[in-house]
Amino acid sequence: MHPVSSIHRCYELSYAERRTPVTITIKVNARHDSHTRISGIICVDATFEDPNDQLDKRTLQSGTLLRAGISTPTEGVPHIRVEDFVLPRCLRQAGIGTFIWSAIFSALPRQISQSVRLSGSLSATDATTPKVGRDGLVFKECNPLYSGFADVSIPNIARRNAFWLRMLADSDRVFACDAGGSGRFEGFFIDPATHPSYQPVFAARRIT
């Protein structure tokens, strides 16, 4: 029987602003096929209140924010491949993405975190993103074409690229992004919360 590492961590993120806490659950399941080869998955779920929906009667929502695979394609070099990572609009621009990846880094078994590579693709769909306030509300502006209000969008390529670059060590790093925002990245995974630019607007408390 091959040993299995199953790690489950839950955090509550609390804000100074008038918004309900966000619960983040990190699950890492890794199967050790040998002393040097592993395979498994990383999954991140969240429970949160979206102030942009049902303003008169807010309800908690739950969803999966991230899925990634763990493998050892090259003997002795573990690899995390990001399959899907999307934050709801109300959780953006608050440092939650960096917190999630920092929590993943700390949750990895030591034999993996010391020399694990991280890779993923970059999509042109991220070229812009809604502008979100600290209360989680998306900024709106009058749109005369639709006789109403529309979300305010802001450029996001530089911000998105800086986000992923904070997770990659300078050595042996690959980062390619075209003018439209498409590309790929790969490099040795480091804790992004150690970067001096990281300034979360919440307090994190580990629950389990």
Side-chain angles (χ1 to χ4, degrees):
M1 181 179 294
H2 300 296
V4 175
S5 296
S6 181
I7 299 171
H8 183 282
R9 294 184 180 180
C10 188
Y11 300 86
E12 182 182 76
L13 311 185
S14 300
Y15 300 80
E17 294 78 14
R18 291 183 177 180
R19 59 184 296 181
T20 58
V22 176
T23 302
I24 302 291
T25 302
I26 312 282
K27 290 176 282 188
V28 180
N29 293 301
R31 171 190 172 102
H32 298 261
D33 299 319
S34 68
H35 290 295
T36 57
R37 298 189 67 83
I38 60 170
S39 61
I41 60 171
I42 298 171
C43 185
V44 178
D45 298 324
T47 301
F48 58 95
E49 181 182 280
D50 188 349
N52 299 284
D53 296 334
Q54 301 179 352
L55 290 176
D56 57 338
K57 185 180 179 181
R58 297 180 177 180
T59 58
L60 287 176
Q61 301 183 25
S62 297
T64 297
L65 309 185
L66 181 150
R67 287 187 63 86
I70 310 174
S71 63
T72 315
T74 303
E75 195 72 21
V77 182
H79 192 120
I80 296 175
R81 171 70 185 181
V82 182
E83 299 172 358
D84 189 33
F85 180 47
V86 179
L87 293 181
R89 296 179 306 166
C90 63
L91 301 185
R92 298 180 189 180
Q93 298 156 46
I96 292 179
T98 298
F99 172 82
I100 286 173
W101 281 102
S102 177
I104 290 172
F105 184 87
S106 66
L108 292 173
R110 184 171 178 81
Q111 66 270 30
I112 299 177
S113 64
Q114 288 181 318
S115 60
V116 61
R117 294 184 68 82
L118 176 70
S119 70
S121 60
L122 305 171
S123 172
T125 59
D126 297 329
T128 62
T129 188
K131 183 179 180 181
V132 182
R134 288 193 172 187
D135 54 3
L137 286 169
V138 176
F139 283 79
K140 302 284 187 178
E141 64 182 356
C142 183
N143 188 329
L145 293 178
Y146 300 101
S147 300
F149 289 86
D151 294 351
V152 174
S153 294
I154 57 176
N156 191 53
I157 294 176
R159 182 187 182 94
R160 188 267 324 261
N161 290 356
F163 171 80
W164 290 115
L165 283 168
R166 285 195 293 269
M167 299 184 214
L168 305 176
D170 293 336
S171 60
D172 196 25
R173 180 175 68 191
V174 176
F175 200 96
C177 179
D178 63 22
S182 297
R184 59 179 292 267
F185 62 87
E186 182 176 343
F188 284 104
F189 183 27
I190 58 177
D191 185 353
T194 60
H195 196 277
S197 66
Y198 180 52
Q199 298 179 339
V201 296
F202 53 80
R205 179 176 67 92
R206 184 171 170 181
I207 301 174
T208 59

